[in-house]
Amino acid sequence: MNVLLIGAGGREHALAWALSASPLLTKLFCAPGNPGIAEVAQCIPIDPADHDVIITFCRDERIELVVIGPEAPLVAGLGDALGEAGIKYFGPTRAAAQLEGSKGFTKDLCRTANIPTAAYGRFMDPEAAKTYLASQGLPIVVKADGLAAGKGVIIATTREEAEAAVEACLSGVFGTAGNEIVIEEFLEGEEASFFALCDGVTALPLASAQDHKRAGDGDTGPNTGGMGAYSPAPIVTPEMADRVMREIIIPTVKAMAARGMPFKGVLFAGLMISASGPKLIEFNVRFGDPETQVLMMRLKSDLLAALLATVDGVLSNFDLRWSDDAALTVVMAANGYPGKPMKGTEIKGLDAARATPDVEIFHAGTRRDGERLVADGGRVLDVTGRGRNVAEARAAAYAAIAKIDWPGGFYRNDIGWRALQRSKA
Ligand code: AMP
Ligand code: GLY
């Protein structure tokens, strides 16, 4: 079958790489794609925001499945438009994508369905928000309700900071995403990423993963989209995964179905594993980036078959097999990230770096400039290693990085440190 993948990042390169290995695949297209994706798919310069052009392309090329990678087209209703045109797509409808598109929506759903999460309030009026703040402890978390490209979360350690965050959000610093805010309790614990395919009724968990959100070694510096990831994540024991399914994922799938907006696609729970158990920090309605890069390295089942089973509502008959190997990815980011990244610097040495079977390099933000490969984004490369355990996977990833000649970029030196510390304990 012909498949169209939507997106242009490292997550989409990893998905394209896995899809391209499917015996069910005839031809893979990607809109808009990137130079790494171009090695396994035909990239087409279409803007995913242009629903009519996407639909016309699907008809012309007899696309039988559209896989939507990023959240923005999902929240903008690309799935609904495809569905109305009779084209199959992997991902939630716009209504179901509110689980990521509105933090307030998700918090209310958690309250109704009794899903463990931080205590919270929703506000549109700064004075009401400040009155609530006065009744709460510190630190406290202020969040823009809508999509803010990962920037709309402020962890305030003083009352003044919290009030400034309220003012900033509600006065439009995050655009319309901040018209409404959520103020919530600060959760203590260790974060983990949990993914489940959902077909509206049944949920099938993926292997565990953990990412590193901060830009600097030792989990210091500003928050980012993720500077590295590994799988499996030792903190998500089989017992913990069962609890997450029972206490968070399954109640959400049921609550969404009961509201007439069944969730189909991949549900990504950002978790805080606290002393009292797993708590939901937030939902995303798409695969994680860079978690997908390590998950695809470990997935033994056919990804395309799994996505089709999700879309067709037959996940209850489906099973996923994972390699016993571990995988670890290190993000190489352009200098300046997560602020304004420097673009256009040349990257060399990738062929040598990926010459071993235990390494894959996924492109996240690159561009061809004639013969040269140059940086074209914040997160630029995901250098991914595989091994019998996290330590070996990490050694493979860093050995590959040592062969990459890119003075314009930086990376963290300690990806996987929590897993390694646990395995030594
Ligand atoms: P979010 O975009 O909601 O995932 O938030 C981004 C990051 O902020 C999370 O990955 C956490 O590190 C942190 N964070 C968000 N909400 C909380 C909370 N209630 N308690 C502690 N940390 C949080
Ligand atoms: N790595 C976290 C995310 O994809 O949002």
Side-chain angles (χ1 to χ4, degrees):
M1 68 191 311
N2 293 340
V3 176
L4 170 63
L5 173 66
I6 304 287
R11 163 185 52 211
E12 285 77 25
H13 188 183
L15 292 172
W17 178 75
L19 288 170
S20 69
S22 170
L24 300 173
L25 185 76
T26 311
K27 184 155 187 193
L28 181 63
F29 296 89
C30 187
N34 69 35
I37 296 174
E39 292 177 8
V40 292
Q42 183 178 333
C43 294
I44 44 164
I46 300 184
D47 179 358
D50 200 336
H51 297 177
D52 289 342
V53 176
I54 297 269
I55 288 168
T56 305
F57 178 84
C58 289
R59 291 193 171 132
D60 290 349
E61 297 294 338
R62 302 213 160 95
I63 300 294
E64 287 170 86
L65 180 69
V66 180
V67 179
I68 305 172
E71 63 276 17
L74 291 165
V75 172
L78 175 58
D80 306 61
L82 290 166
E84 281 158 27
I87 300 162
K88 260 190 201 181
Y89 64 97
F90 176 86
T93 58
R94 186 198 334 233
Q98 285 183 91
L99 284 176
E100 178 161 0
S102 167
K103 294 186 190 297
F105 172 88
T106 298
K107 298 299 288 189
D108 288 353
L109 182 125
C110 287
R111 180 177 279 166
T112 320
N114 213 8
I115 292 168
T117 187
Y120 73 105
R122 294 177 75 169
F123 303 95
M124 295 180 83
D125 167 40
E127 292 317 312
K130 286 181 196 164
T131 308
Y132 181 78
L133 279 178
S135 69
Q136 300 296 308
L138 290 167
I140 187 109
V141 187
V142 178
K143 299 184 173 184
D145 182 78
L147 293 187
K151 297 199 170 64
V153 174
I154 298 112
I155 297 176
T157 48
T158 64
R159 180 76 35 81
E160 293 69 38
E161 246 182 284
E163 291 190 357
V166 165
E167 290 286 357
C169 283
L170 289 175
S171 64
V173 168
F174 302 113
T176 52
N179 284 354
E180 182 172 344
I181 59 173
V182 167
I183 300 179
E184 68 180 33
E185 173 198 5
F186 178 78
L187 297 172
E188 309 263 5
E190 186 174 328
E191 284 183 59
S193 304
F194 193 94
F195 300 89
L197 294 176
C198 304
D199 67 5
V201 178
T202 301
L204 184 64
L206 306 191
S208 61
Q210 202 166 21
D211 81 350
H212 294 257
K213 288 248 160 64
R214 304 294 197 97
D217 285 358
D219 292 328
T220 57
N223 239 330
T224 71
M227 291 299 289
Y230 53 94
S231 173
I235 191 167
V236 186
T237 57
E239 295 73 37
M240 184 59 71
D242 280 348
R243 277 192 73 176
V244 174
M245 286 300 286
R246 242 182 310 120
E247 297 176 21
I248 297 175
I249 304 291
I250 293 169
T252 301
V253 170
K254 283 194 175 144
M256 291 299 283
R259 288 175 184 215
M261 41 181 97
F263 187 88
K264 281 191 170 199
V266 60
L267 187 58
F268 165 5
L271 302 174
M272 191 67 87
I273 310 292
S274 72
S276 64
K279 291 195 175 164
L280 181 73
I281 299 176
E282 63 158 4
F283 277 129
N284 298 300
V285 297
R286 35 103 188 148
F287 283 103
D289 191 343
E291 290 93 329
T292 304
Q293 288 80 319
V294 289
L295 292 174
M296 292 305 113
M297 287 286 265
R298 297 189 56 223
L299 180 64
K300 291 210 298 202
S301 305
D302 178 354
L303 176 66
L304 181 48
L307 301 186
L308 281 171
T310 307
V311 174
D312 290 340
V314 293
L315 270 184
S316 58
N317 304 322
F318 205 84
D319 200 15
L320 286 171
R321 287 177 307 118
W322 299 92
S323 163
D324 290 333
D325 283 351
L328 181 144
T329 190
V330 180
V331 172
M332 295 184 83
N335 291 338
Y337 180 77
K340 195 170 185 305
M342 201 204 285
K343 289 193 177 177
T345 55
E346 185 171 5
I347 304 162
K348 290 193 229 165
L350 288 196
D351 287 337
R354 63 177 192 177
T356 52
D358 54 356
V359 171
E360 295 293 336
I361 297 178
F362 299 113
H363 292 224
T366 64
R367 180 171 60 80
R368 288 252 173 244
D369 177 17
E371 290 294 294
R372 303 184 325 145
L373 183 71
V374 300
D376 194 37
R379 294 185 291 173
V380 172
L381 295 170
D382 306 309
V383 183
T384 314
R386 180 186 359 238
R388 279 173 302 179
N389 49 47
V390 171
E392 282 190 16
R394 162 161 143 147
Y398 282 107
I401 285 190
K403 295 180 194 146
I404 297 175
D405 175 12
W406 181 34
F410 73 98
Y411 56 90
R412 276 181 61 164
N413 294 287
D414 63 347
I415 300 303
W417 70 268
R418 285 182 193 275
L420 296 183
Q421 204 168 59
R422 272 214 172 74
S423 64
K424 283 193 197 110

